[in-house]
Amino acid sequence: MAEYETDLRGPAETLPAFLPPLLEGQYGPALTEGILAGYRCQRAVTLRANTLKTDRAAVAAALTDAGLAPEQQPWYPDAFLLPQAREEAVRALPMYEAGEVYLQSLSSMLPPLVLNPQPGMDILDMAAAPGGKTTQLAALAGNRCHITACELNPRRGERLKYNVAKQGASCVYVMVTDARQLSDGFSFDNVLLDAPCSGSGTLSLTEPGPGRFTQALVEKSVRSQKALLAKGLQLLKPGGELVYSTCSILAAENEDVVAWALESAGVELVPVEGDWLEALPLLPTRLAGTVCVCPDSRFEGFFVARLRKTGPVRLPGVPGGGKGRASARRRRR
């Protein structure tokens, strides 16, 4: 086992001592060093052009005129990276107030792209607040799908409603409820589960944070993830697809949870594919066809998998997990 410096305190906090050995056991010493380097990076500000209200060319021009030096992302042209800007500069722009852009991490833009919403689809977003992925889904489908967006926390639910309205996502219906408690009478063509997680991919040693990352949080998150995933698969129509994502890079919350779901004969893994994957800093995964992004100066650590329901889903019982979004940080989601 390599010796890692666990007192990596910057302006933000100390990395939990249990994490580097855990990462090394999963990824090996060299990749672990790369992950730790990513935690030390100051991540650039990123945003998404809201095509429900404007277009990417207009956003690029406005950002350039404001002196923010935007870098349009070739793998997703609606995404922009601002290497020299702070979020306050974006918030001061008229187009931000108008809902024409949404501050969002590049990694969190991946699940809607994988789900690939189409006009006419009935979609469930199980843990939707603050609404970045919800409104991105609406934009990708041109507001011509129907999205049920759930958020159990009332305060966060109000924030979700605000963002949905500001972004002009008229196809979204917000339910302030625990998605695990939805009636079995519901059924959906597709489901997005951006699950509550430990936030191991978003840890930063350069930004202030609450410092709640613990082993207990990881274990609590896994319980919630399995319960939500089981419910999402139950509400999914046969032949429909569920995109499962977390802002974690730990197999316990990612591949292990997906492998648990695959124990049901009614679930199959659909590989995440596309030329755009070549633009991402990827980590190896234990399940071929799943994607795990390494944290660096552009991306947060993130995991995405795609599941298809082929028949009745029968999964082992799940002990009740803690309610709410367990993530150690609330990044731009």
Side-chain angles (χ1 to χ4, degrees), residues 21 32 39 71 97 105 120 123 181 185 196 203 227 239 256 263 289 308 326:
T32 297
Y39 289 158
E71 295 180 4
E97 278 303 313
S105 76
I123 300 167
Q181 304 304 318
L203 294 176
D256 292 354
E263 292 179 15
R308 180 181 293 135

Side-chain angles (χ1 to χ4, degrees), residues 135-176:
T135 54
Q136 185 184 356
L137 288 170
L140 288 169
N143 255 343
R144 291 178 291 168
C145 61
H146 181 268
I147 301 170
T148 300
C150 293
E151 173 53 48
L152 68 86
N153 181 285
R155 181 180 62 83
R156 287 171 57 77
E158 288 305 310
R159 187 64 184 173
L160 173 61
K161 291 178 182 178
Y162 171 82
N163 283 328
V164 164
K166 183 177 181 179
Q167 298 284 299
S170 58
C171 67
V172 177
Y173 173 65
V174 174
M175 296 181 68
V176 182

Side-chain angles (χ1 to χ4, degrees), residues 180-199:
R180 291 170 289 190
Q181 304 304 318
L182 288 176
S183 167
D184 292 343
F186 284 99
S187 63
F188 298 91
D189 300 311
N190 291 85
V191 174
L192 174 61
L193 173 54
D194 181 45
C197 72
S198 68

